[in-house]
Amino acid sequence: MTGITVLLVDDHLVVRSGLTALLGTQPDFDVVAEAASGEEAMDLVEHLSPAVVVMDLAMGAGMDGIEAIKQLRQRNRRQAILVFSTYDSDADIVRAVDAGAMGYLLKDAAPDEIFAAIRGAVQGKSVMSAPVASRLFQQLRNPAEVLTPREAELLSLLTEGLSNRQLGQRLFISEATVKTHLAHIYAKLGVETRTAAIATAIRREGMR
Amino acid sequence: MTGITVLLVDDHLVVRSGLTALLGTQPDFDVVAEAASGEEAMDLVEHLSPAVVVMDLAMGAGMDGIEAIKQLRQRNRRQAILVFSTYDSDADIVRAVDAGAMGYLLKDAAPDEIFAAIRGAVQGKSVMSAPVASRLFQQLRNPAEVLTPREAELLSLLTEGLSNRQLGQRLFISEATVKTHLAHIYAKLGVETRTAAIATAIRREGMR
DNA sequence: TGGTCTCTCAGCCTTTTGGCTGATGCTGCT
DNA sequence: AGCAGCATCAGCCAAAAGGCTGAGAGACCA
């Protein structure tokens, strides 16, 4: 029998070849293709139907990882999606899980951890790196302070320096709605102004 | 004869093995060791005296890349140091060059670019990715946009999320003066609002 | 000595932001 | 059916931020 078919998605060539080399040491893994962008990933999943997609969240230009996960889910594909990212910000984790990711690994994870996560993913198990799990755990203990996906999205745009009007235009909602979301975000972050929210987001949530 | 001896320094295992695999395709490269931290790199350079050190700037805990470069330089070693980083922030570039890096590559660079940079480095040539070179060039062309010490101080406090009043109290100046400084900062950074200034400061100047 | 830069401050006016209250439609859970 | 959470919107008011002009004091340099 052939092993677990894997598609790698990462815009950095060195990461792709590193991962390929790493997975190549295991007899039950079969890296069938590599994609450098979300768009490429769509095509390859369509044609190869890999059992697992290992995907970076940060993708230079075009479609980002979250968007790619969403689209793969919408196409009703059966493959498990594993996020393989450098950062463990709350927002990224929430959005990735929300989009339909099966697991969340950090790039400094040990090889065994990566192998286990992939094997678990095909069996429907959720595996994540310890820091990621810890963050999720914290969020469960403090549900009042967890940003909703929409709020996280807004906060992310906020850190780009947009005004309420620009935020509204970017998200196709009214300025009033933007203000409502912001008020909720401030309350959850425990701040009073947008600048403090940005400072908190960048330092605490790891956004940039 | 043996080829160009290379030491890889990166806290991510996949990046190290990817780079090793990549450099292994070239007959004239010889990756003699890999280090996962700045401290490890010190030791290995001491014992192996590689011709080139390829180093990531962001290193999880302990010594960061910049610090490692500085210390290697201070020990009067002959090896060329190449930065291999994900980001191209002005601050990172300036600090790396200042610390004594021979070149600056981005992680999405093409293999040929990486090979050429390493071969160039041993011959004393400076090689950097196009976006990096472009940023350095821009800085040379526009020395007028440098913040004054006071402005930089204000900008730094701004990224902590303070209001104009708080800034004034912290710096023992009136709110009017704060607004004047801010106006100058906005002009120099090419932004219109404080939130955009914070975003720019964090991404371009590397403040955090 | 005169010019330039930096830091300091003021007043006036417009735009933006934030606080508050209340309301609607949708979804998911019970 | 009912309730809770989420996302959407409106209006009103106060506070904060930003644009503009002008100006004085001290430092540095030609």
Side-chain angles (χ1 to χ4, degrees):
Chain A
M1 93 188 190
T2 82
I4 299 170
T5 52
V6 178
L7 168 65
L8 302 181
V9 189
D10 195 305
D11 61 331
H12 294 156
L13 180 123
V14 287
V15 174
R16 293 198 304 275
S17 28
L19 221 32
T20 300
L22 204 61
L23 299 186
T25 64
Q26 303 302 104
D28 57 335
F29 291 146
D30 186 8
V31 178
V32 291
E34 301 178 7
S37 70
E39 290 83 354
E40 239 180 272
M42 294 297 139
D43 272 2
L44 290 169
V45 167
E46 200 76 32
H47 291 91
L48 302 173
S49 289
V52 180
V53 178
V54 176
M55 168 135 48
D56 189 4
L57 283 188
M59 228 93 71
M63 187 187 308
D64 72 350
I66 299 282
E67 185 57 32
I69 295 175
K70 277 187 195 162
Q71 294 206 14
L72 285 180
R73 284 284 84 133
Q74 280 172 1
R75 299 191 185 184
N76 238 351
R77 289 277 166 184
R78 287 281 170 169
Q79 70 287 326
I81 302 174
L82 272 182
V83 172
F84 187 64
S85 171
T86 308
Y87 306 109
D88 60 344
S89 83
D90 289 350
D92 281 346
I93 298 172
V94 168
R95 290 172 65 209
V97 171
D98 196 59
M102 275 297 301
Y104 200 115
L105 294 170
L106 295 182
K107 282 196 179 166
D108 52 7
D112 284 349
E113 202 178 342
I114 298 174
F115 301 152
I118 295 179
R119 292 192 186 106
V122 291
Q123 298 171 4
K125 290 182 193 161
S126 243
V127 185
M128 51 191 65
S129 295
V132 176
S134 144
R135 274 177 178 274
L136 273 185
F137 188 72
Q138 259 191 328
Q139 295 203 333
L140 287 180
R141 280 197 336 174
N142 246 338
E145 289 176 11
V146 179
L147 298 181
T148 69
R150 194 56 157 174
E151 285 163 358
E153 195 179 358
L154 222 134
L155 182 56
S156 161
L157 287 176
L158 199 62
T159 64
E160 290 179 16
L162 303 185
S163 69
N164 288 350
R165 180 165 312 181
Q166 290 172 315
L167 289 171
Q169 289 170 347
R170 191 76 83 84
L171 298 175
F172 305 106
I173 57 180
S174 79
E175 222 176 309
T177 306
V178 171
K179 290 171 85 173
T180 304
H181 284 309
L182 285 180
H184 293 158
I185 291 174
Y186 297 161
K188 289 180 180 177
L189 294 185
V191 300
E192 314 233 300
T193 67
R194 73 166 45 207
T195 52
I198 295 178
T200 303
I202 288 166
R203 291 185 177 73
R204 195 167 103 189
E205 312 284 331
M207 288 182 177
R208 64 203 128 195
Chain B
M1 90 187 191
T2 82
I4 300 171
T5 51
V6 178
L7 167 65
L8 302 181
V9 189
D10 195 304
D11 59 333
H12 294 157
L13 179 123
V14 287
V15 174
R16 293 199 304 273
S17 31
L19 220 32
T20 301
L22 203 62
L23 299 186
T25 65
Q26 304 301 106
D28 56 337
F29 290 147
D30 186 9
V31 177
V32 291
E34 301 179 6
S37 69
E39 289 82 356
E40 241 180 89
M42 293 299 138
D43 272 1
L44 291 168
V45 166
E46 201 75 32
H47 291 91
L48 302 171
S49 289
V52 180
V53 178
V54 176
M55 167 136 46
D56 189 4
L57 282 189
M59 227 93 70
M63 189 188 304
D64 73 352
I66 299 282
E67 187 53 34
I69 296 174
K70 276 187 197 161
Q71 295 206 14
L72 285 181
R73 283 286 83 134
Q74 280 173 1
R75 301 190 184 185
N76 241 349
R77 290 277 164 184
R78 286 280 171 170
Q79 72 285 328
I81 301 174
L82 272 181
V83 172
F84 186 63
S85 170
T86 308
Y87 305 109
D88 60 345
S89 86
D90 287 352
D92 281 346
I93 298 171
V94 169
R95 288 170 62 213
V97 171
D98 198 56
M102 276 298 300
Y104 200 115
L105 294 170
L106 294 182
K107 281 196 180 168
D108 54 5
D112 284 350
E113 203 178 339
I114 298 174
F115 302 151
I118 295 179
R119 293 192 186 107
V122 290
Q123 296 171 5
K125 289 182 193 163
S126 242
V127 184
M128 52 191 64
S129 295
V132 176
S134 147
R135 275 177 176 275
L136 272 186
F137 189 73
Q138 261 190 327
Q139 291 205 334
L140 288 180
R141 274 197 341 176
N142 251 336
E145 288 177 9
V146 177
L147 299 180
T148 68
R150 193 60 158 173
E151 285 163 359
E153 194 180 358
L154 226 135
L155 182 57
S156 164
L157 288 176
L158 199 61
T159 63
E160 290 179 17
L162 303 186
S163 68
N164 288 349
R165 179 164 314 180
Q166 291 172 312
L167 289 172
Q169 288 169 349
R170 192 75 83 86
L171 298 175
F172 304 105
I173 57 181
S174 80
E175 218 176 312
T177 306
V178 170
K179 290 170 89 171
T180 305
H181 283 309
L182 286 180
H184 293 158
I185 292 174
Y186 299 161
K188 288 181 180 178
L189 293 185
V191 300
E192 316 231 299
T193 66
R194 75 166 42 207
T195 53
I198 294 176
T200 303
I202 287 164
R203 291 186 178 72
R204 195 167 105 190
E205 310 291 329
M207 290 183 180
R208 65 199 131 201

